Amino acid sequence: MSRQSNRTTESKKMNSELFTLTYGALVTQLCKDYENDEEVNKQLDKMGYNIGVRLIEDFLARSSVGRCHDFRETADVIAKVAFKMYLGITPSVTNWSPAGDEFSLILENNPLVDFVELPDNHSNLVYSNILCGVLRGALEMVQMAVDVRFAQDTLRGDNVTEIRMKFVKRIEENLPAGDE
Amino acid sequence: MSVPDYMQCAEDHQTVLVVVQPVGMVPEDHFFRIYKRIISVNQVSIRDSQRLLYIRYRHHYPPENNDWGDFQTHRKVVGLIAVTTCSSAKEWPQTFDRFHGQREVFGATLYDSRLLVFGLQGEIAEQSRTDVAFYPSFDRCEDVEKRVEDFVESIFIVLESKRLDRATDKSGDKIPLLCVPFEKKDFVGLDTDSRHYKKRCQGRMRKHVGDLCLQAGMLQDALVHYHMAVELLRSVNDFLWLGAALEGLCSASVIYHYPGGTAGKSSGRKPSISQAADAGKRHRPGAQEVLIDPGALTTNGISADTSSEIGRTKNCLSPEDIIEKYKEAISYYGKYKNAGVIELEACVKAVRVLAIQKRAMEASEFLQNAVYINLGQLSEEEKIQRYSILSELYELIGFHRKSAFFKRVAAMQCVAPTISEPGWRACYKLLLETLPGYSLSLDPKDFCKGTHRGWAAVQMRLLHELVYASRRMGNPGLSVRHLSFLLQTMLDFLSDQEKKEVTQSLENYTSKCPGGMEIITLPDGLKLPPVPFTKLPIVKSVKLLNLPVSLRPHKVKGLLGQNVTTKSPFIYSPIIMHSRGEERCKKIDFQWVQGDVCEVQLMVYNPMPFELRVENMGLLTSGVEFESLPAALSLPAESGLYPVTLVGVPRTAGSITVNGYHTSVFGVTSDCLLDNLPGLKTSGCAVEVVPALPRLQLSTSLPRSAHSLMPPSGEELSNSVSVQLFNGETQQLFITLENIGTELLETLEVTYKMVNTKEKIFGEFLSWDLQGPLSQLPLKPSQTVTIAVDIRVKLDFSGQENLLQDLNDDGISITGLPISSPLRQVLKPRAENKPISAEANKTEYNHIKTLEAILHFKYSGGLGQMQGYYRELLLGVHVDVEPSVFFTRVSALPATSTRQCHLLLDVFNSTEHELTVSARNNQDVVLHASECQRMAIQVDKLDVDSLPEPDEETLRFASPRQLEEERQQVQGYQVNSKLGITWRFPLTRCHPSLRRKGEASVEGVLNQLVLEHLQLAPLQWDVLVNGKACDCDMVADCRVGDTVPLEVKLTNRSKNAVGPFALTVVLFQDYQNGVHNYDLQDAVTFIGSNTFHIDTVNPAENRICVGALLFLYTGDFYLNIKFQDDSCSRELPLAWFCLPNVHIKALDPGY
Amino acid sequence: MMTMLGGEPFLLVSKQEQQNYPLYIRSVPSDSELKFHYTVHTSLDVVEEKVSAVGKVIVDQRELYLGLLYPTEDYKVYGYVTNSKVKFVIVVDSSNTSLRDNEIRSMFRKLHNSFTDVMCNPFYNPGDPIQSKVFDSMVSSMMVQTC
């Protein structure tokens, strides 16, 4: 229990190159094992989901963020608190759909892709797809079903990295979410 | 001086130069034999002085180099040994004149000369001259070495005298100015009296004396003189000679520091000398081991202290200083264009010293300098020599790449366009020598694993050059080899265009000289290993294929021992016997058969940007004799993986290992071994070949089956047939086996096995007689044998649902309800009986049942049979059975006789045709389609004991229920065969396909109750009236007033003792209106008791009870014999107590 | 005009010292590329000599710059070796006087940094030829500056 009480907003520092290389090693190993980009994307999403469903507890404990009133507030918490806390970046929230159920996170600088250059034979790989899984998993634990995907990616020559997030529905029952 | 001597080294400064030359006609080989003996005398220990004189021999020496002799005395020719032949005294004067002439060439500098005359004998040869030695022939000249030593000693005397002469510093004398050839004109008209001039003369002379001292073996003196010379010359800026003095200093120091020499092993001195650490402490081989300080022995030394230990270390340069001084000297030489050769040689000498000092970087600077020294117009040969020597020197300092670079330049120089006769051989030879510098070996094995080694771009260039050079040499075989190597090892670096070009030229070469797998040995002994094209195509996996199912050999079980070798004595071992690395050698668990075509599948990839044609691709094997049947293939550009099947026939039995494959691509044949293929996948390449077995081909009289039979064990069928039959029908199947192999068919065994069926079949589904076919064995190749197999289908279509028990007016009767009719089945599918296939539903729907069986033909012959192998042919038999007639209801009625009963059968015709049903002893019944009729058949009851008992084996293992079922089955069969019910389509129907007949079986519908009725009870009761057995409708007659004897006989046919029983005889009259009158005391009287007592009856025994009746009136009487309630009779089934009814007619005695 | 390359660290691949092979080569103009191959290839002798000399003489271990390897008539060849024994070689026209030791030194440092990034790319297998676009453009920009 003492561990729980020790959680603060301060985080331990970790070398970003080691982090980036670790993630890179993971992705390339998946590429070797599955030999199919689509399958790798799926695996990354799954892994991310499994991270997300756990990470949300840590996030809530650290951030002491309360219940969000609407999707806009959720977007802000994700961008300004969550991304800041775990990746040290603050993406901007833009491109709201008229219905207010869909928005974009614009990442000027994605720490996962430092050094990375996609070879030509991996044109379908969504390298940072783990982020989608994390967001999906985390939000599912707070009763929000969302659809997350990469709309733009600097790795594929776009100027910025854009994560598009769409609200699907509220999950009414607190279904026990297991590992996918 | 224009010809540099690149082989010079620092220690050459202490040698004296002797030229050995032939005079007149001397055969070259003879001359060089003598020359070799002469040069073996390369150091001579001088008597009395304990000094060593080193001699450098040359057989050619340009006289203009001799002109530099004053500059550096080791360049001066001081001795001449002439070798000549002279056969007669007459020729002698002329010969001697020639010798004189030769002497004139080096005249000015010669200290002494010798003439060795071969062949002359007689008067002239007798005279004793010091300068001429006579030998009768080249073979008889034992004292040549001795003569040379004497000669050297004489040179030493002159040298020593000159040294002493010059060394004595007579300051009053005018010292002559020594100069080099190109200086001479500069000094004309110079003031010879100036201090400057004098100093110059002194300095140069000092330097000269230093040289002489060094040559005379007085190292310390030489150092002193050089030091003085340096001082003098520096003061007058006489740079060329200052350089020479500095170089002299260096040379002397090098000799002191490196007694082993700097030239490397190529021109090393005698090792006994080089072992000495100190030049001053050398000792002669063979002389007494006395260490003598050379300085102490100089009788006329300049001063004592120069020779002392202190002086030695003081005057000698340190290793670092040597290099500094060399640098300085070279910079001075560099000031004079005409001293280029001197400068170049000094560079080379310095490099050799640095190489010994392992100072490669500085050495490379000297060499770099040497590269830029301009020697003016050089001949091509000189250029080649120069580049070669640069290459050698770079090699010496460990700059292998640089060395290779210059060697390659030298090679190119050999074939420069300016050369009239290009030396392609020399070029090729030099190119080969550059290979290590480019990390290139000519063995493709070095390149088959891991990342590419070395610099591909330059390696490729070099290989191209080798190809070209070898072609110009007129050796296309070599070109092919090199080009193959290029293609194989550099494939990844070749552009598409280059790939095309290389292969095109390769094809051009191979059209003249095909490439193969032999090792090419070059004249100098270099071996060029073959280059198998393991990348054309790239083989990714190798898989040995099993034989087709019908050809696979099987081992007879239980025949272990003959040829079966197990690696371990244990049946099971947790230790895996083979390691990972041996995976390729692992035996595969199937076998090949001698004489049969065996297949190996390769997955190949074509890396070339064009279609690749592979000719003659076949297997390489070891072990048994194997006849490979090569294939040719054509692979589209840059694509794969394609399966390629290579085939061959093992010609002997034993173990075979597939080691690789051979190909022929672009005219180059390659043997590619699997061990050398990186990243190859294989599941083992060794397989056992069993001895030859016969081969059979099977054909049948019935059409091939469209159904795919799936045997549960996963076997594959070689063939299968299908037929449609009505239930009860029998069909004959003729199977013809042809021996299509080369071996005799000696044994044949046929069995069958039902597949996928839970249907209850009555009788044997398949039956055959092998007697005939077996009598034809052994069957020779191409002969045939035919087997007739009866397919008999007897299924129960009424279903096995419980026949409901129903007691109706017939007494005990059992009715098969329509519940079991096929119509009912449609409504209520019986899932448990369904085969799993999709078709099953359909057959169910159509009321068709399917029977499947597999016929196994095990056969063997030849050598394979001796080793316990056989082959198996599997024939699938698929029969769709349509219902014909079946019985919807069966019941049994007691007949009048206790030994018989009536079977009532409701027969249903489920076909769409009219048919006739007949039974033994019965009338035919004609049934229309879907019509049902009842048949009543009287049958004798079964004697249970006459049925065969199940054998002991089944008794022991079967459960009581199984036994019961089996018993029922046997009984059913018995009943059925008694009935003999058959059906047939009327013959009048013309369609031949409908001229069919079959049996109709009741077996399935018979149940326990019916069967019980059909059984003879184990207790046989017989009633005899008047001694006559009463049964059936037999009426016993008797007369009123007579005593009528009545016997009851019990025969016990059961297995246990029965009884005792008590029977009561009751008489009654039947008024035929339902009224039975038992009140007959007045009409009939028993004589004795009306109760019979029967004691215990043992099995197979009988007992007779006798009583009597007396009828008082006429009439029809019936006897009813009843059992009194008795505990022991209760336990037995009621049916066992079935006594016949007795009908007695009492008649008027008047009749 | 210059050529650059990384050499395979022979410590990693093989015990043989002659394992050096090019990871990357760029030259302007590209038509005389083979000539540069020879120049750079032979310069490795000097690089090896210098690297092995580092062990003998106590030199600042952190000094990766090997300096001028050797001058030829037309070019100056400079060398640089990382502690993982990856070698960089720059060849410049000897008439180019604008490039002094310091400039060359900083060019090597830039190359080294960029090479480190390439190595960190998870899709790059150490030992393979470098095909990174980022590295390409960095080298191009460097070459434009110096020409």
Side-chain angles (χ1 to χ4, degrees), chain A residues 82-99:
Chain A
F83 267 86
K84 180 80 198 153
M85 185 184 292
Y86 292 110
L87 289 175
I89 52 168
T90 312
S92 52
V93 181
T94 54
N95 293 343
W96 279 98
S97 66

Side-chain angles (χ1 to χ4, degrees), chain B residues 114-367:
Chain B
R114 288 285 182 280
L115 176 64
L116 305 180
V117 185
F118 290 88
L120 195 63
Q121 275 172 321
E123 209 180 301
I124 300 160
E126 303 286 293
Q127 55 184 303
S128 150
R129 296 180 60 147
T130 50
D131 60 338
V132 182
F134 294 99
Y135 297 104
S137 76
F138 284 100
D139 298 320
R140 292 171 59 195
C141 50
E142 293 77 15
D143 68 341
V144 166
E145 288 87 353
K146 181 75 190 58
R147 279 277 183 169
V148 174
E149 270 181 47
D150 290 346
F151 172 63
V152 170
E153 269 182 45
S154 106
I155 287 176
F156 176 74
I157 291 163
V158 182
L159 175 70
E160 188 65 0
S161 73
K162 284 201 186 254
R163 183 182 72 80
L164 289 173
D165 187 33
R166 300 275 159 81
T168 39
D169 190 0
K170 294 164 199 137
S171 46
D173 294 358
K174 192 174 170 89
I175 300 167
L177 179 71
L178 300 170
C179 51
V180 295
F182 72 86
E183 282 180 322
K184 282 191 176 129
K185 56 182 186 301
D186 301 344
F187 291 120
V188 178
L190 218 70
D191 177 11
T192 54
D193 288 332
S194 69
R195 249 180 84 80
H196 191 268
Y197 183 78
K198 274 182 184 161
K199 258 195 167 172
R200 179 182 290 213
C201 293
Q202 276 176 352
R204 292 189 176 189
M205 186 53 77
R206 274 288 163 204
K207 195 259 156 203
H208 182 63
V209 174
D211 282 356
L212 291 175
C213 287
L214 195 59
Q215 282 184 308
M218 300 178 71
L219 186 76
Q220 297 311 317
D221 292 30
L223 284 167
V224 173
H225 286 294
Y226 284 138
H227 272 295
M228 287 163 71
V230 167
E231 265 168 52
L232 286 165
L233 292 167
R234 206 187 286 280
S235 65
V236 294
N237 290 337
D238 189 359
F239 292 121
L240 185 63
W241 285 75
L242 174 55
L246 288 168
E247 198 191 341
L249 204 51
C250 293
S251 301
S253 303
V254 168
I255 289 162
Y256 174 78
H257 283 293
Y258 309 108
T262 59
K265 55 180 187 280
S266 55
S267 60
R269 286 129 192 267
K270 284 194 179 160
S272 57
I273 300 304
S274 64
Q275 276 163 7
D278 188 337
K281 288 177 183 169
R282 284 182 192 148
H283 51 271
R284 275 188 311 164
Q288 67 225 87
E289 303 270 324
V290 184
L291 302 179
I292 301 148
D293 189 319
L297 288 166
T298 42
T299 44
N300 292 298
I302 292 169
S303 55
D305 70 303
T306 57
S307 308
S308 71
E309 289 291 323
I310 307 148
R312 185 185 303 165
T313 45
K314 200 172 76 189
N315 292 324
C316 187
L317 298 174
S318 69
E320 286 75 30
D321 278 347
I322 293 173
I323 304 307
E324 281 312 306
K325 295 296 180 236
Y326 262 126
K327 259 185 207 164
E328 194 182 343
I330 288 162
S331 73
Y332 294 142
Y333 291 150
K335 293 178 190 289
Y336 301 90
K337 214 180 143 199
N338 291 317
V341 172
I342 303 290
E343 185 189 354
L344 186 61
E345 286 183 354
C347 282
V348 170
K349 286 176 218 169
V351 167
R352 291 194 201 278
V353 174
L354 281 164
I356 293 237
Q357 294 182 350
K358 304 221 183 311
R359 290 157 73 181
M361 275 314 295
E362 284 164 287
S364 77
E365 279 163 31
F366 277 98
L367 273 175

Side-chain angles (χ1 to χ4, degrees), chain B residues 1035-1072:
Chain B
V1035 179
D1037 295 340
C1038 65
R1039 289 174 188 280
V1040 173
D1042 287 358
T1043 44
V1044 181
L1046 176 69
E1047 278 174 55
V1048 175
K1049 181 180 170 192
L1050 168 61
T1051 311
N1052 182 7
R1053 302 159 77 141
S1054 76
K1055 290 186 193 70
N1056 302 310
V1058 293
F1061 304 110
L1063 298 137
T1064 309
V1065 181
V1066 180
L1067 274 164
F1068 66 90
Q1069 276 190 305
D1070 188 356
Y1071 295 158
Q1072 303 289 333

Side-chain angles (χ1 to χ4, degrees), chain B residues 782-837:
Chain B
S782 81
Q783 286 186 334
T784 60
V785 64
T786 303
I787 302 166
V789 174
D790 284 333
I791 304 171
R792 186 175 288 122
V793 285
K794 260 159 76 184
L795 289 179
D796 173 21
F797 274 86
S798 58
Q800 280 101 29
E801 268 105 345
N802 302 327
L803 298 170
L804 293 187
Q805 200 170 318
D806 183 23
L807 285 174
N808 68 0
D809 56 340
D810 296 336
I812 310 158
S813 84
I814 295 92
T815 315
L817 288 181
I819 193 166
S820 59
S821 83
L823 300 167
R824 187 62 183 269
Q825 283 169 26
V826 177
L827 302 170
K828 183 185 165 238
R830 290 173 303 163
E832 73 275 12
N833 281 351
K834 259 195 310 183
I836 312 125
S837 73

Side-chain angles (χ1 to χ4, degrees), chain B residues 860-1019:
Chain B
S860 189
L863 274 174
Q865 188 196 15
M866 316 245 286
Q867 303 233 338
Y869 286 100
Y870 64 90
R871 272 183 169 146
E872 217 171 19
L873 274 177
L874 270 60
L875 173 67
V877 180
H878 175 107
V879 182
D880 287 327
V881 188
E882 275 192 74
S884 48
V885 294
F886 60 88
F887 305 98
T888 57
R889 175 184 154 124
V890 178
S891 55
L893 278 181
T896 40
S897 163
T898 55
R899 293 200 156 83
Q900 286 188 323
C901 79
H902 291 284
L903 264 181
L904 298 183
L905 299 166
D906 288 358
V907 194
F908 178 74
N909 175 9
S910 62
T911 67
E912 295 165 338
H913 316 282
E914 184 186 298
L915 50 73
T916 310
V917 178
S918 54
R920 198 167 294 152
N921 315 321
N922 212 324
Q923 229 180 321
D924 288 359
V925 176
V926 176
L927 282 173
H928 298 284
S930 305
E931 190 187 9
C932 192
Q933 280 194 32
R934 179 167 293 191
M935 289 174 81
I937 305 169
Q938 185 173 333
V939 282
D940 291 339
K941 284 195 177 179
L942 289 176
D943 183 355
V944 180
D945 291 344
S946 69
L947 296 178
E949 285 285 319
D951 54 77
E952 283 202 11
E953 190 107 330
T954 26
L955 271 174
R956 199 178 310 152
F957 293 109
S959 67
R961 219 189 113 199
Q962 280 174 315
L963 279 177
E964 180 59 30
E965 270 176 22
E966 188 149 323
R967 205 175 51 81
Q968 253 187 50
Q969 210 173 314
V970 175
Q971 288 175 2
Y973 174 76
Q974 204 76 19
V975 173
N976 196 54
S977 55
K978 263 189 184 161
L979 293 174
I981 305 170
T982 58
W983 55 262
R984 66 173 185 276
F985 293 118
L987 288 171
T988 46
R989 290 280 185 279
C990 56
H991 202 279
S993 68
L994 286 175
R995 278 182 203 149
R996 299 161 80 165
K997 59 180 169 67
E999 296 172 49
S1001 168
V1002 296
E1003 285 168 71
V1005 293
L1006 294 173
N1007 73 340
Q1008 184 60 40
L1009 273 166
V1010 174
L1011 280 172
E1012 261 174 37
H1013 276 270
L1014 286 170
Q1015 275 173 20
L1016 277 174
L1019 298 184

Side-chain angles (χ1 to χ4, degrees), chain A residues 70-89:
Chain A
D70 58 11
F71 201 47
R72 280 179 189 273
E73 196 183 334
T74 307
D76 271 356
V77 170
I78 289 170
K80 299 209 174 81
V81 187
F83 267 86
K84 180 80 198 153
M85 185 184 292
Y86 292 110
L87 289 175
I89 52 168

Side-chain angles (χ1 to χ4, degrees), chain B residues 1046 1048 1062-1068 1086 1089-1092 1109 1118-1124:
Chain B
L1046 176 69
V1048 175
L1063 298 137
T1064 309
V1065 181
V1066 180
L1067 274 164
F1068 66 90
F1086 281 91
S1089 169
N1090 69 334
T1091 305
F1092 294 89
L1109 289 168
Y1118 294 89
L1119 280 180
N1120 195 356
I1121 304 171
K1122 283 187 178 165
F1123 288 83
Q1124 288 178 345

